[in-house]
Amino acid sequence: MDRIKNHPILDFEKNEKITISFEGREIECFRGETIVSALSVAGITTLRENVKTHRPQGLFCAIGKCSSCLMEVNGVPNVRTCIVLVEDGMTVRRQNGKGVLHED
Amino acid sequence: MNNDIRKKGYLHYRDIGESRFPAEELIKEKALPVIECIERIPCNPCETSCPKGAIVVGENINDLPVCNYSLCSSCGICITRCPGLAIFMVKLTEKGSAVISIPWEIYPLPEKGDRFEGLDRLGNKICEGEITSIRKINHKTHIVSGEVSAEFYKEVRHFKIKNK
Amino acid sequence: MKTDSFDVLVIGGGPAGLCACAELSRCGIKVLLVDEGPVLGGQLVKQTHKFFGSREHYAGVRGIEIPDKLQEEIDEKLITVYSSSTVVGIYPPNNNVLIYRDQKKVEEHSFKYIIIATGASENMILFENNDLPGIYGAGAVQTLMNQYGIIPGKNMLMVGAGNIGLIVSYQLLQAGCRVKKLIEAAPSIGGYLVHASKIIRMGIPVQTSTTILKAIGTEKVEGAITVKLDENWNQIEGTEEEIEVDTICLSVGLAPSYKLAVHAGCKQIFIRELGGMIPWRNSSQETSVNGIYIAGDACGVEEASSAMIEGRLAGLNIAKCMKRLSEKACNEKIDDNLISLDKLRSGPFGERIVEGIRKLEGKSYE
Ligand SMILES: Cc1cc2nc3c(=O)[nH]c(=O)nc-3n(C[C@H](O)[C@H](O)[C@H](O)COP(=O)(O)OP(=O)(O)OC[C@H]3O[C@@H](n4cnc5c(N)ncnc54)[C@H](O)[C@@H]3O)c2cc1C
Ligand code: FES
């Protein structure tokens, strides 16, 4: 997906550029946007695999209500990536099923 | 309001009713609004934004607006304030054309002299015309005026700008 | 547990929550406002169109501009905001509350008064492959394009011709997307005619009595199959049509989000007109649990204008209980707000809500 270049009503201010990693791949994005929006621009639509059906799942509600976007962020599973903002150096992974709890 | 309109979702000018169009003698004199608001919904910015008090919704906010054309100064503010983008302004010229002013919230804003296809309420091309003026408004609902042959003044409601 | 210096917790910073904060802070009451989004405003932050309603409720103003106007009404010294934070549980009788602060750590607080203003969530409909990536709720499409400036798809199929489907179709045109078709299962459009008119004259075809049968694709949406429905909503064989789209946008209604109220033990009742199961409440917006109030879409899907008034009512009624304003002054303000609500709901589109409220008031929750 592309970013909107010209909009008749809205101006999109771009914040500082930062980088997150998705499955080891570096993705450039802007501070202030959600993980899902950064991934969408990079063309990533499959966020996790369904617990039961193992089918690919993507964004659905984008306001934290449906759990369709749960991913593993900095090693923590079940993060609602549609409401969590990107941070420089963040690592994001697709989640399979329920995800795994890592001990620290 | 008849159910047929809700089925198709758009208005024909006959649905709007002759009484909602200003008389032709009047629009030869000055540009006047055609308020294509025929459904009772809770809304009144046309009334509260008119500097001349020409548009009245009244005590019940669901009532339909009525314009007193003799008070109207053709300022066009109502075009930009109607949340439904349902107010248009029409003027008949001496040379047999009509200037139609429509609300515009799409990128890019046309330029004076641009040629366009005149679209009717169903989005069908019915004629061609030329943009005559653009009024940029700071709250970003601009007013774009285009000239078409007079016979289309009741029908053209969008301008599809041709590639230059 | 934290010892709390807040008098009231407001959950959700949409129009309902912000208006509740405005009334509370005007009465000198200290509030903690928690919202799980990164910015305040709820659904308003993505509404680029000008709102309907009356001028007192910001009609004619674009939705995106309303949160700032509401925040001007709030005394900042009295309100503490936790954004990007989620309320995850309410435990009566002391109303202990768990807050997942910054989506990182859990905090516990307790409050005498709580206002739940958590809004609504989008409905899903059944069709083959409806879980494929590229099928979004209309709210998600709006969030992507209007909040984060991302083109959600090049070619869209919009499902549902209520106000949201119609408005989001227009917003898609503004963002430079192509809406190939808008389909609606009912025989007629559900939203305002003016919203339908503006997309139809710009060339979006609207097809009523039509539904979606299947999404095509394996990893993501590549197309869709639609089918016509007869008067009895049965599919008409042979009317299937394949359409090539990369995104399917569902705007098939909203349901109140009130899980927290259930968790707190608030009694629920079923009222179809207000969006299905909802927590019972009285005309002061108080639920069956003492001190817990609810306002806005969370207690019946309606409009921002009515959500604002309900938020104000909840705030004023709490101020009254706390005796922070004279009973007379409170009652006057409450009456003014009740009158505004009646006016808003007096048209044909308000009939459903009025009927729902009538049923609600006629029923106790047992
Ligand atoms: C496309 C579209 C067009 C619309 N057009 C109009 C219009 O023209 N006029 C009009 O009056 N209305 C309109 N509306 C309706 C209006 O936006 C909503 O009715 C209104 O926003 C409801 O307000 P609310 O405060 O109840 O909920 P919301 O605005 O949904 O706010 C709820 C808030 O609660 C937060 N929240 C939820 N759960 C939690 C939790 N557990 N912890 C912390 N925070 C939480 C959310 O993050 C959100 O910010 C439109 C809606 C849409 C989708
Ligand atoms: S997409 Fe629904 S919770 Fe994130």
Side-chain angles (χ1 to χ4, degrees):
Chain A
M1 290 179 207
D2 293 328
R3 295 191 190 270
I4 298 173
K5 288 186 192 75
N6 298 295
H7 195 281
I9 312 292
L10 299 166
D11 296 314
F12 298 103
E13 287 163 34
K14 297 249 163 42
N15 296 330
E16 181 198 347
K17 245 192 192 155
I18 57 175
T19 318
I20 61 170
S21 112
F22 167 76
E23 304 277 341
R25 166 180 161 200
E26 303 240 302
I27 289 175
E28 279 202 341
C29 50
F30 296 98
R31 201 179 285 289
E33 66 181 334
T34 55
I35 299 173
V36 152
S37 69
L39 295 181
S40 306
V41 175
I44 296 151
T45 47
T46 299
L47 308 177
R48 69 176 172 105
E49 191 180 86
N50 187 282
V51 182
K52 289 194 192 121
T53 62
H54 303 288
R55 286 162 59 88
Q57 311 276 258
L59 178 78
F60 179 71
C61 76
I63 51 168
K65 304 229 174 180
C66 75
S67 304
S68 190
C69 65
L70 300 183
M71 298 180 85
E72 190 185 292
V73 177
N74 293 337
V76 181
N78 297 322
V79 172
R80 290 176 292 172
T81 52
C82 69
I83 56 167
V84 172
L85 303 183
V86 288
E87 284 169 14
D88 201 22
M90 202 173 226
T91 57
V92 180
R93 299 194 151 274
R94 283 199 177 112
Q95 181 170 320
N96 289 332
K98 292 177 184 161
V100 214
L101 274 182
H102 301 276
E103 315 241 339
D104 31 32
Chain B
M1 194 180 55
N2 80 39
N3 258 334
D4 233 32
I5 303 177
R6 294 202 66 78
K7 251 184 217 169
K8 53 187 183 164
Y10 68 95
L11 303 172
H12 190 270
Y13 76 87
R14 281 186 297 271
D15 300 324
I16 296 160
E18 279 300 325
S19 66
R20 299 209 143 247
F21 283 91
E24 289 193 359
E25 303 86 78
L26 295 178
I27 51 174
K28 281 180 183 152
E29 294 295 315
K30 61 178 178 185
L32 287 172
V34 182
I35 307 182
E36 306 198 350
C37 176
I38 66 160
E39 180 175 61
R40 299 186 71 238
I41 55 179
C43 187
N44 69 1
C46 53
E47 175 179 46
T48 51
S49 66
C50 176
K52 300 286 175 188
I55 303 180
V56 177
V57 172
E59 187 48 25
N60 186 330
I61 185 176
N62 287 283
D63 283 345
L64 300 181
V66 177
C67 183
N68 179 340
Y69 299 123
S70 62
L71 294 177
C72 173
S73 68
S74 313
C75 70
I77 290 176
C78 54
I79 302 181
T80 71
R81 283 295 177 187
C82 168
L85 305 186
I87 304 184
F88 307 86
M89 198 118 96
V90 289
K91 166 89 174 70
L92 295 176
T93 69
E94 276 161 14
K95 51 180 183 177
S97 67
V99 175
I100 303 173
S101 301
I102 67 172
W104 193 279
E105 295 184 331
I106 297 289
Y107 184 89
L109 197 60
E111 283 168 28
K112 189 172 170 189
D114 281 356
R115 301 283 306 162
F116 63 81
E117 294 180 353
L119 305 188
D120 66 6
R121 293 180 184 80
L122 191 50
N124 289 329
K125 175 188 167 182
I126 50 169
C127 64
E128 297 203 352
E130 189 174 306
I131 300 296
T132 54
S133 81
I134 289 111
R135 261 172 72 197
K136 280 187 92 165
I137 307 290
N138 58 14
H139 57 75
K140 296 180 180 167
T141 307
H142 310 293
I143 304 176
V144 173
S145 306
E147 192 170 7
V148 296
S149 173
E151 65 198 284
F152 299 111
Y153 86 89
K154 287 183 177 171
E155 300 272 20
V156 171
R157 288 301 176 261
H158 189 62
F159 309 145
K160 186 172 173 198
I161 307 297
K162 294 189 164 182
N163 288 337
K164 274 172 260 186
Chain C
M1 180 173 39
K2 290 216 165 174
T3 48
D4 282 298
S5 50
F6 306 109
D7 303 310
V8 182
L9 168 69
V10 174
I11 311 169
L18 288 175
C19 284
C21 290
E23 295 302 331
L24 290 164
S25 77
R26 233 193 297 268
C27 299
I29 296 170
K30 278 207 195 138
V31 180
L32 175 64
L33 170 61
V34 180
D35 193 291
E36 64 183 350
V39 291
L40 292 178
Q43 294 298 308
L44 296 176
V45 301
K46 44 201 178 186
Q47 308 306 343
T48 48
H49 63 291
K50 291 176 174 166
F51 270 40
F52 288 79
S54 69
R55 192 156 64 177
E56 305 95 82
H57 307 117
Y58 306 109
V61 175
R62 294 188 199 283
I64 41 172
E65 291 159 7
I66 299 175
D68 281 347
K69 290 183 188 284
L70 293 177
Q71 284 178 76
E72 279 165 26
E73 278 191 52
I74 299 176
D75 183 348
E76 282 174 15
K77 291 192 289 298
L78 291 165
I79 309 277
T80 303
V81 179
Y82 287 2
S83 55
S84 292
S85 302
T86 306
V87 173
V88 289
I90 303 175
Y91 301 83
N94 298 326
N95 293 344
N96 292 343
V97 170
L98 294 183
I99 301 172
Y100 191 43
R101 183 108 183 250
D102 300 321
Q103 309 295 320
K104 288 201 170 100
K105 57 179 188 296
V106 177
E107 279 183 13
E108 192 175 335
H109 296 252
S110 94
F111 301 88
K112 184 134 193 259
Y113 297 98
I114 296 175
I115 299 177
I116 298 174
T118 45
S121 56
E122 260 165 320
N123 293 341
M124 196 14 140
I125 46 171
L126 288 178
F127 57 90
E128 198 177 328
N129 269 345
N130 69 358
D131 62 342
L132 214 54
I135 301 175
Y136 302 129
V141 162
Q142 280 194 306
T143 305
L144 281 179
M145 72 181 170
N146 295 344
Q147 207 171 348
Y148 298 108
I150 293 166
I151 299 172
K154 290 202 171 69
N155 290 303
M156 293 264 170
L157 170 68
M158 176 68 72
V159 181
N163 269 333
I164 296 182
L166 298 170
I167 292 173
V168 175
S169 297
Y170 181 71
Q171 294 178 351
L172 281 161
L173 289 178
Q174 291 181 308
C177 308
R178 177 151 178 238
V179 181
K180 278 201 153 172
K181 203 195 276 190
L182 188 160
I183 57 170
E184 163 63 54
S188 56
I189 59 158
Y192 296 163
L193 256 176
V194 285
H195 285 316
S197 302
K198 73 186 179 201
I199 60 168
I200 293 174
R201 67 175 179 254
M202 290 175 71
I204 300 182
V206 174
Q207 241 175 47
T208 50
S209 294
T210 306
T211 191
I212 177 168
L213 203 57
K214 177 179 177 178
I216 303 171
T218 46
E219 289 297 312
K220 67 182 298 291
V221 172
E222 286 159 23
I225 296 178
T226 63
V227 67
K228 294 225 160 98
L229 301 175
D230 66 18
E231 313 84 83
N232 302 316
W233 298 64
N234 295 318
Q235 295 171 5
I236 306 174
E237 226 173 288
T239 61
E240 296 83 3
E241 222 178 286
E242 187 173 328
I243 137 171
E244 207 179 300
V245 289
D246 56 15
T247 312
I248 298 170
C249 181
L250 301 180
S251 72
V252 291
L254 297 166
S257 271
Y258 60 88
K259 287 183 217 115
L260 284 171
V262 178
H263 190 243
C266 303
K267 297 280 194 269
Q268 309 153 59
I269 56 174
F270 182 84
I271 297 185
R272 179 175 294 117
E273 290 82 354
L274 300 178
M277 285 303 281
I278 49 160
W280 179 89
R281 63 162 198 278
N282 60 21
S283 58
S284 309
Q285 306 293 136
E286 191 172 13
T287 65
S288 64
V289 176
N290 225 318
I292 299 186
Y293 291 69
I294 192 160
D297 280 356
C299 62
V301 173
E302 209 179 336
E303 294 259 274
S305 35
S306 45
M308 288 183 218
I309 305 180
E310 289 183 352
R312 289 186 197 283
L313 282 169
L316 287 165
N317 280 296
I318 290 175
K320 190 169 151 185
C321 292
M322 291 177 70
K323 303 203 172 24
R324 289 298 177 84
L325 201 63
S326 78
E327 187 155 337
K328 182 160 172 283
C330 257
N331 285 341
E332 270 170 18
K333 285 189 170 195
I334 289 171
D335 285 347
D336 286 349
N337 279 295
L338 287 172
I339 291 169
S340 302
L341 256 189
D342 280 349
K343 272 194 189 160
L344 271 178
R345 291 169 177 161
S346 66
F349 280 86
E351 276 165 19
R352 182 180 52 90
I353 301 289
V354 172
E355 178 62 17
I357 303 276
R358 199 185 56 75
K359 285 188 186 166
L360 178 73
E361 283 172 353
K363 273 190 200 169
S364 77
Y365 43 82
E366 281 310 337

